[in-house]
C-alpha cells in the first residue's frame, strides 16, 4: 500500500502523471466525497440531495512519499472536480496549520482559486496553470474550482505544519464562492446565492 517513506529520505525524482495526477513513486491518496464535507456548504438541503444521489467525489489529494515530518518538504497534487452544491462551487475542506508555517501552491490545470482567512480578513488569489499562490503563516486556506474542467494544483509545505480542520469549522473562511452570471462571485460568509 502506498505510504510515506521512512527517514532518512534520499534525493528523489517524482513524476506526477499529468492525466491521473498520481505520483510515481506514490505516497497516500485521499479521496473526499460530498459526505466528507458535511456542514461546510451553506445549503444543507442541496448537500443532502447530492449525498443521496451517488455521493460524488469532490476532490482527491495524491501525495508523494516524502513524509510529513519536521524539516522535510512534502508535496501533493489536489484535483477538484467541477460542480456546485446549491450554487456554491465545489471546494476543499480548508484548514489552518497548527504549526503556523507557510505553503506554496502551483496551478497545473483548470481554473480555480485560493481562499485565505486569518480570522479577521479574507483574501482571494485567482489560480490557473503557472500561477503560484503563497499562503503565509497563520492564514487558513481552502481551494475552489470555479471552472467547468477539473482544477488541479501542486502543494509544497513544511512537514511539521499539520492540518487543523476544526479551525475552519469554528471560524469559517470569511467568504463563500458562488456561481454567478459573470462566472463566480465572493460573498461574505453568511451570504447565499
Ligand atoms: O497541504 C495543503 O494545503 C493541500 O495539499 C490540501 O491539504 C489539499 O488541497 C486538500 O485540502 P484539505 O486538506 O483542506 O482537505
Ligand atoms: Mn496547507
Amino acid at each position: 500500500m502506498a505510504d510515506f517513506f521512512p527517514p532518512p529520505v534520499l534525493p528523489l525524482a517524482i513524476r506526477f502523471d499529468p492525466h491521473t495526477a498520481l505520483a510515481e513513486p506514490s505516497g497516500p491518496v485521499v479521496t473526499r466525497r460530498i459526505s466528507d464535507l458535511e456542514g461546510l456548504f451553506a445549503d444543507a438541503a442541496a448537500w443532502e440531495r447530492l449525498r443521496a444521489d451517488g455521493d460524488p467525489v469532490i476532490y482527491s489529494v495524491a501525495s508523494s512519499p516524502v513524509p510529513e515530518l519536521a524539516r522535510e518538504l512534502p508535496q501533493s497534487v489536489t484535483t477538484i472536480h467541477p460542480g456546485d452544491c446549491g450554487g456554491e462551487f465545489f471546494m476543499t475542506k480548508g484548514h489552518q496549520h497548527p504549526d503556523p508555517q507557510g505553503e506554496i501552491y502551483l496551478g497545473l490545470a483548470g481554473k480555480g482559486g485560493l481562499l485565505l482567512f486569518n480570522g479577521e480578513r479574507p483574501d482571494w488569489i485567482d489560480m490557473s496553470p503557472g500561477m503560484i499562490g503563497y499562503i503565509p503563516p497563520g492564514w487558513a486556506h481552502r481551494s475552489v474550482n470555479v471552472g467547468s474542467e477539473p482544477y488541479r494544483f501542486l502543494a509544497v509545505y513544511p512537514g511539521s505544519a499539520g492540518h487543523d480542520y476544526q479551525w475552519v469549522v469554528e471560524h469559517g473562511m470569511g467568504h463563500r464562492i458562488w456561481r454567478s452570471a459573470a462566472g463566480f462571485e465572493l460573498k461574505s460568509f453568511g451570504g447565499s446565492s
Side-chain angles (χ1 to χ4, degrees), residues 15-88:
R15 181 173 184 277
F16 273 103
D17 185 296
H19 302 296
T20 64
L22 293 175
E24 179 54 46
S26 174
V29 178
V30 173
T31 299
R32 300 279 188 215
R33 296 180 176 276
I34 194 78
S35 57
D36 296 311
L37 279 70
E38 184 172 9
L40 297 181
F41 291 98
D43 188 337
W47 175 86
E48 175 55 32
R49 281 195 299 276
L50 278 175
R51 192 199 61 76
D53 186 21
D55 195 12
V57 171
I58 305 301
Y59 65 99
S60 61
V61 185
S63 296
S64 86
V66 174
E68 293 184 334
L69 294 173
R71 297 184 298 282
E72 302 285 355
L73 277 178
Q75 324 92 41
S76 61
V77 169
T78 299
T79 304
I80 308 177
H81 296 286
D84 67 78
C85 176
E88 191 176 1

Side-chain angles (χ1 to χ4, degrees), residues 33-189:
R33 296 180 176 276
I34 194 78
S35 57
D36 296 311
L37 279 70
E38 184 172 9
L40 297 181
F41 291 98
D43 188 337
W47 175 86
E48 175 55 32
R49 281 195 299 276
L50 278 175
R51 192 199 61 76
D53 186 21
D55 195 12
V57 171
I58 305 301
Y59 65 99
S60 61
V61 185
S63 296
S64 86
V66 174
E68 293 184 334
L69 294 173
R71 297 184 298 282
E72 302 285 355
L73 277 178
Q75 324 92 41
S76 61
V77 169
T78 299
T79 304
I80 308 177
H81 296 286
D84 67 78
C85 176
E88 191 176 1
F89 278 113
F90 285 173
M91 61 190 186
T92 59
K93 291 175 74 170
H95 61 271
Q96 182 65 280
H97 294 161
D99 181 1
Q101 304 209 48
E103 178 165 11
I104 58 167
Y105 286 180
L106 169 65
L108 298 176
K111 187 178 169 202
L114 175 51
L115 177 63
L116 301 119
F117 187 49
N118 68 356
E120 293 177 358
R121 72 178 186 92
D123 212 328
W124 173 260
I125 299 172
D126 287 311
M127 293 291 290
S128 55
M131 285 299 299
I132 291 175
Y134 177 58
I135 301 159
W139 288 74
H141 40 290
R142 162 178 287 163
S143 295
V144 187
N145 186 342
V146 297
S148 52
E149 304 291 330
Y151 165 53
R152 180 169 290 158
F153 63 94
L154 169 73
V156 183
Y157 55 100
S160 63
H163 296 80
D164 179 355
Y165 294 99
Q166 190 58 28
W167 191 96
V168 169
V169 172
E170 289 171 7
H171 297 84
M173 284 298 299
H175 278 155
R176 293 184 180 279
I177 317 301
W178 298 96
R179 198 182 284 282
S180 75
F184 72 96
E185 63 181 336
L186 284 66
K187 289 187 183 173
S188 64
F189 204 72

